[in-house]
């Protein structure tokens, strides 16, 4: 057991790429978590393969460090808005947050969101201005903007009177006064945490009580829940009650108990550094992993039988805004590159994910071939697809669609996002033009003084679907865009979609260089010679708005006739490689992305051309 007065629980929150995980690397070095000769990778907390590839934190993670005689539990949170559900549920585990702000960029959209949630939870943040040693850093402007943000979000006087630290997470130093203190070491950060973060509240002598805020799975033990013990003690072998709850009406604050389960605690773990260490006992203030209850869910209350009526409010997680269908792969290549899953297997996998990923919603709406999956954004769903793909599964997904609702006056509402774009001045015209076509409302512009402009828009979520690739092309890869969900607003009207059609294969077989040479003049190809194609598969983007049926498998006829162009070499352009993210953005409503462990293909929902024509006639008759 730890002395509760010597425990500090804190989360690191920030916008994406403001340096949370890099700061943790410096904290680990300063507290000598690893041996001197140990080989430690950068961003050690991003231990998932996908996180390392994409350079982002996807899931919240817990670690602990020892400084002097204090135990500091730290939670690293994602900075991308699509994973903000990971932030919302862990704030109840901590007593304060380190709000990390880039001294060059200042507060960004996700900074506003995570700060709003922290203030709403009653936490008193510590502001950490990171990257102050960068050439373009404007420390005072970033601090002023952060203070204005506190006031704008309704911070109390106590919350707005926040301590400030300046430094560089990359180089491992933080100070309270940049002018008079030596820029070396992390002691100022640890001292501020010890002095400013309150010790956890909790009476060790009361009956045990905690709420599960994180889940993991162990192949030998089953489901394991993590949370902070709010009161009392718990030992291995104790009998506890798991009480599950759900919201009835969030607006009115109404919720209900949905079930109870008696279970014995089979295992207990602390996190020492980065590794779980099994213990016999834990007490109030500790962040602990508990195994025993079979059906433990996020938000469940764990208690003793004597205080089973002390049920905690369900976790407040905002609703998803984007949905898509996960469908069984019905293509002719199903099962050739991976495991062709049935609807039952897909449902089991998605329900398993929904238990731990609280911002995800899985619905069976009666389709015989698929399920409806909803999340916080395109990236949120794309990460899930990529994880399932790497597990060897084959399936298809539809185009992302926004989730709409109606107000009390029966007006149609759609999700709205705040969009912040940093772009070189010469590209501002094309960006504003494209955003306006997507029903974006121009809010403000700011000259950052480095040849960049910061443009702010309010734009419907559906206006952002498919825009990222176009944006990078328009700005030559020099623009940076980020967004956050800000609420629902009136439907903004129709948004024109993709203005180019698809080149659709009419046959199954092997693509030939002879035919691809002819087709590349009609659009942009997605395939290379020798690639296997099938009827209904999309092999390229047509240069005109209509779809182009074609036969990429056609071979040159062998005759004894001499041709003047016989020796003309075939020169093919490099095909456009469709990544998973690019494919999800590109497809139209009547198209699907086929995902396998080895390939990402795009195809028509209805493969045969005759069947597509019949379906189009039925739609036309219905409309008329």
């Amino acid at each position: 057991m730890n002395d509760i007065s010597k425990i500090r629980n804190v989360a690191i929150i920030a916008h994406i790429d403001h340096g949370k995980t890099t700061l943790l690397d410096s904290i680990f070095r300063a507290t000598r978590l690893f041996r001197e000769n140990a080989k430690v990778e950068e961003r050690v907390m991003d231990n998932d393969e996908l996180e390392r590839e994409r350079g982002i934190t996807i899931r919240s993670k817990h670690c602990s460090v020892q400084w002097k005689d204090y135990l500091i539990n730290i939670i690293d949170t994602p900075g991308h808005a699509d994973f903000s559900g990971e932030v919302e549920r862990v704030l109840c585990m901590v007593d304060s947050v380190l709000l990390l702000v880039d001294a060059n960029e200042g507060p960004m959209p996700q900074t506003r969101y995570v700060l709003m949630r922290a203030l709403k939870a009653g936490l008193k943040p510590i502001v950490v201005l990171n990257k102050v040693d960068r050439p373009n850093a404007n420390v005072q402007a970033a601090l002023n903007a952060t203070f204005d943000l506190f006031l704008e979000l309704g911070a109390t006087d106590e919350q707005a009177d926040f301590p400030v630290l300046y430094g560089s997470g990359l180089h491992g130093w933080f100070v309270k006064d940049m002018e008079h203190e030596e820029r070396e070491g992390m002691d100022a950060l640890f001292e501020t945490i010890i002095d400013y973060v309150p010790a956890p509240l909790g009476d060790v002598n009361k009956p045990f009580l905690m709420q599960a805020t994180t889940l993991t799975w162990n192949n030998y033990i089953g489901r394991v829940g993590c949370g902070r013990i709010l009161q009392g003690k718990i030992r291995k072998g104790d009998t506890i009650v798991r009480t599950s709850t759900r919201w009835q009406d969030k607006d009115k604050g109404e919720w209900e108990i949905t079930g109870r389960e008696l279970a014995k605690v089979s295992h207990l773990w602390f996190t020492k550094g980065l590794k779980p260490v099994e213990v016999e006992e834990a007490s109030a203030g500790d962040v602990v992993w508990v195994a025993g209850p079979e059906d433990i869910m996020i938000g469940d209350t764990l208690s003793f039988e004597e205080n089973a009526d002390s049920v905690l409010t369900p976790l407040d997680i905002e609703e998803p805004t984007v949905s898509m269908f996960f469908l069984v792969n019905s293509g002719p290549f199903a099962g050739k590159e991976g495991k062709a899953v049935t609807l039952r297997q897909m449902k089991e996998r998605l329900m398993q994910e929904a238990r731990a990923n609280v911002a995800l919603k899985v619905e069976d709406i009666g389709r015989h071939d698929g399920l409806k999956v909803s999340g916080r954004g395109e990236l949120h769903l794309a990460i899930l697809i990529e994880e399932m793909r790497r597990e060897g599964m084959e399936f298809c997904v539809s185009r992302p669609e926004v989730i709409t609702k109606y107000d009390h006056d029966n007006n149609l509402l759609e999700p709205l996002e705040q969009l912040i774009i940093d772009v070189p001045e010469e590209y501002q015209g094309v960006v504003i033009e494209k955003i306006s076509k997507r029903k974006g409302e121009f809010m403000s512009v700011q000259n950052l003084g480095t040849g960049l402009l910061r443009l702010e828009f309010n734009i419907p979520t559906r206006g952002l679907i498919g825009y990222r690739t176009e944006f990078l092309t328009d700005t030559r890869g020099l623009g940076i865009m980020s967004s956050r969900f800000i609420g629902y607003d009136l439907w903004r009207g129709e948004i024109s979609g993709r203005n180019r059609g698809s080149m659709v294969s009419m046959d199954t077989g092997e693509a030939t260089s002879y035919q691809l040479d002819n087709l590349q003049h009609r659009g942009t190809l997605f395939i290379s010679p020798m690639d296997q194609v099938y009827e209904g598969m999309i092999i390229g983007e047509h240069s005109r708005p209509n779809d182009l049926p074609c036969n990429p498998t056609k071979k040159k006829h062998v005759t004894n006739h001499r041709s003047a162009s016989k020796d003309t070499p075939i020169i093919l352009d490099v095909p456009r490689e469709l990544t998973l993210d690019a494919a999800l953005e590109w497809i139209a409503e009547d198209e699907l992305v086929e995902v396998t462990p080895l390939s990402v293909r795009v195809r028509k929902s209805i493969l045969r051309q005759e069947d597509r024509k019949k379906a189009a006639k039925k739609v036309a008759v219905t409309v008329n």
Side-chain angles (χ1 to χ4, degrees):
M1 286 195 306
N2 297 297
D3 181 356
I4 194 169
S5 66
K6 299 290 186 180
I7 298 175
R8 298 293 184 269
N9 298 321
V10 65
I12 302 179
I13 59 175
H15 185 77
I16 188 170
D17 283 340
H18 278 201
K20 299 179 298 300
T21 311
T22 305
L23 170 61
L24 274 169
D25 287 349
S26 294
I27 289 176
F28 294 151
R29 287 194 295 269
T31 55
R32 293 178 173 81
L33 185 63
F34 305 105
R35 302 189 316 272
E36 293 291 337
N37 62 345
K39 183 181 179 182
V40 182
E41 297 183 7
E42 290 185 359
R43 296 184 294 111
V44 66
M45 285 291 281
D46 286 346
N47 50 20
D48 185 80
E49 185 181 352
L50 265 177
E51 291 180 321
R52 290 200 163 275
E53 284 183 13
R54 293 176 177 256
I56 59 174
T57 301
I58 296 173
R59 289 185 169 84
S60 295
K61 301 178 192 69
H62 168 224
C63 65
S64 68
V65 294
Q66 198 83 29
W67 189 73
K68 296 185 177 178
D69 55 346
Y70 287 88
L71 176 69
I72 304 176
N73 291 307
I74 305 173
I75 299 176
D76 183 24
T77 63
H80 198 286
D82 281 17
F83 308 109
S84 52
E86 294 282 319
V87 182
E88 295 167 353
R89 62 184 169 85
V90 300
L91 290 180
C92 62
M93 294 172 61
V94 299
D95 301 296
S96 183
V97 293
L98 298 179
L99 179 66
L100 210 61
V101 179
D102 190 311
N104 178 28
E105 294 184 347
M108 294 291 281
Q110 183 66 357
T111 313
R112 171 185 291 269
Y113 179 80
V114 293
L115 177 60
M116 176 185 69
R117 302 297 299 192
L119 295 176
K120 186 178 178 181
L123 303 176
K124 295 184 292 182
I126 299 170
V127 173
V128 181
L129 290 177
N130 194 24
K131 307 180 185 180
V132 298
D133 54 346
R134 296 286 180 88
N136 298 326
N138 191 335
V139 177
Q140 195 57 47
L143 181 58
N144 292 341
T146 304
F147 182 73
D148 292 341
L149 183 59
F150 269 76
L151 299 183
E152 188 179 335
L153 295 177
T156 64
D157 292 344
E158 195 176 10
Q159 288 173 325
D161 186 21
F162 50 80
V164 183
L165 292 162
Y166 310 87
S168 168
L170 180 63
H171 297 110
W173 63 268
F174 282 93
V175 295
K176 299 176 183 177
D177 188 335
M178 287 183 63
E179 295 182 2
H180 302 101
E181 292 184 34
E182 187 177 353
R183 300 184 179 186
E184 185 177 345
M186 306 281 287
D187 284 355
L189 175 65
F190 296 127
E191 289 168 1
T192 304
I193 291 174
I194 300 305
D195 295 340
Y196 194 77
V197 178
L201 297 175
D203 190 342
V204 179
N205 299 314
K206 288 185 177 181
F208 166 73
L209 183 68
M210 72 171 274
Q211 186 172 36
T213 55
T214 304
L215 288 183
T216 189
W217 176 264
N218 185 294
N219 290 331
Y220 302 100
I221 299 169
R223 214 174 293 170
V224 183
C226 178
R228 183 178 69 174
I229 300 177
L230 302 175
Q231 65 182 42
K233 301 176 184 177
I234 185 172
R235 296 178 180 85
K236 283 174 64 175
D238 283 348
T239 301
I240 59 174
V241 179
R242 179 191 67 85
T243 307
S244 57
T245 57
R246 71 176 178 188
W247 285 105
Q248 289 180 310
D249 190 330
K250 281 188 181 181
D251 297 331
K252 296 180 181 179
E254 298 176 357
W255 53 276
E256 63 177 350
I257 295 174
T258 57
R260 294 185 190 273
E261 174 194 2
L262 273 175
K264 275 195 173 184
V265 177
S266 58
H267 296 81
L268 282 175
W269 294 272
F270 285 157
T271 301
K272 293 292 179 72
L274 300 175
K275 297 179 180 179
V277 176
E278 192 160 2
V279 294
E280 295 294 322
E281 182 179 274
S283 61
D286 289 327
V287 176
V288 65
W289 294 87
V290 179
E294 289 185 7
D295 298 321
I296 187 170
M297 294 283 289
I298 287 177
D300 286 354
T301 301
L302 305 181
S303 61
F304 284 159
E305 291 184 81
E306 58 192 276
N307 63 324
D309 294 331
S310 301
V311 183
L312 299 169
T313 306
L315 294 178
D316 184 15
I317 306 294
E318 291 190 3
E319 293 297 316
T321 59
V322 174
S323 67
M324 63 172 62
F325 284 97
F326 281 54
L327 307 170
V328 174
N329 187 7
S330 58
F333 292 173
K336 289 187 176 181
E337 298 179 355
K339 180 174 63 177
V341 295
T342 63
L343 181 60
R344 180 185 61 81
Q345 292 170 321
M346 184 184 294
K347 185 175 182 179
E348 286 178 359
R349 174 63 181 85
L350 290 172
M351 294 305 296
Q352 176 188 336
E353 183 71 22
R355 292 186 187 102
N357 193 341
V358 290
L360 195 74
K361 186 177 181 182
V362 180
E363 299 172 86
D364 187 349
I365 60 173
R367 285 190 62 157
H368 69 282
D369 60 344
L371 301 163
K372 184 179 181 181
V373 182
S374 306
R376 294 294 285 269
E378 277 183 280
L379 183 61
H380 186 199
L381 297 174
I383 291 295
L384 171 60
I385 295 168
E386 185 66 37
E387 288 177 342
M388 293 173 63
R389 174 192 181 192
R390 295 187 182 202
E391 293 168 9
M393 303 175 76
E394 282 190 8
F395 54 98
C396 294
V397 292
S398 67
R399 176 180 170 82
E401 295 180 351
V402 298
I403 300 173
T404 57
K405 58 174 66 174
Y406 290 89
D407 62 11
H408 298 297
D409 300 323
N410 211 32
N411 295 316
L412 182 62
L413 306 178
E414 65 174 329
L416 195 69
E417 307 217 7
Q418 178 195 30
L419 175 66
I420 302 288
I421 290 178
D422 289 351
V423 65
E425 295 179 10
E426 60 265 32
Y427 301 123
Q428 60 174 313
V430 66
V431 169
I432 293 174
E433 178 188 356
K434 293 287 180 69
I435 294 293
S436 299
K437 288 181 179 178
R438 292 171 173 267
K439 305 298 182 183
E441 180 183 357
F442 187 59
M443 304 301 293
S444 67
V445 59
Q446 177 186 355
N447 193 328
L448 300 179
T450 57
L452 295 177
L453 294 178
R454 176 164 294 172
L455 310 176
E456 181 181 345
F457 303 87
N458 283 349
I459 184 172
T461 299
R462 62 194 171 97
L464 288 177
I465 295 176
Y467 177 62
R468 187 173 295 274
T469 302
E470 190 177 339
F471 168 74
L472 292 174
T473 302
D474 291 340
T475 61
R476 307 296 186 270
L478 300 175
I480 300 172
M481 61 180 284
S482 55
S483 62
R484 72 175 185 96
F485 169 71
I486 57 176
Y488 276 80
D489 200 3
L490 292 174
W491 182 265
R492 296 289 181 91
E494 291 302 318
I495 296 176
S496 58
R498 196 179 80 209
N499 59 2
R500 295 188 176 185
S502 305
M503 300 169 70
V504 187
S505 174
M506 300 166 55
D507 204 352
T508 299
E510 197 175 80
T512 64
S513 56
Y514 166 72
Q515 186 65 0
L516 293 184
D517 184 36
N518 297 324
L519 291 174
Q520 71 178 357
H521 304 295
R522 309 290 294 274
T524 304
L525 295 176
F526 298 156
I527 63 172
S528 302
M530 309 292 287
D531 285 351
Q532 294 290 328
V533 299
Y534 56 81
E535 183 182 7
M537 178 175 160
I538 297 171
I539 64 156
E541 182 181 72
H542 193 201
S543 56
R544 297 185 179 181
N546 61 298
D547 288 345
L548 175 68
C550 59
N551 183 7
T553 66
K554 185 176 179 181
K555 298 178 180 179
K556 186 176 182 179
H557 290 295
V558 180
T559 68
N560 60 359
H561 178 71
R562 295 182 63 120
S563 170
S565 60
K566 171 179 174 292
D567 296 323
T568 303
I570 294 176
I571 302 175
L572 294 175
D573 297 333
V574 177
R576 183 200 299 178
E577 183 182 356
L578 276 185
T579 63
L580 176 60
D581 294 344
L584 289 174
E585 290 182 358
W586 186 82
I587 59 172
E589 291 182 5
D590 64 336
E591 296 166 355
L592 301 174
V593 179
E594 181 184 345
V595 182
T596 76
L598 302 179
S599 308
V600 174
R601 306 184 185 96
V602 284
R603 49 162 279 191
K604 288 293 184 180
S605 301
I606 303 173
L607 294 178
R608 296 183 68 244
Q609 186 180 3
E610 293 80 6
D611 294 340
R612 290 199 298 274
K613 288 179 179 178
K614 291 177 183 177
K617 286 180 181 178
K618 286 183 181 178
V619 171
V621 170
T622 305
V623 171
N624 294 329

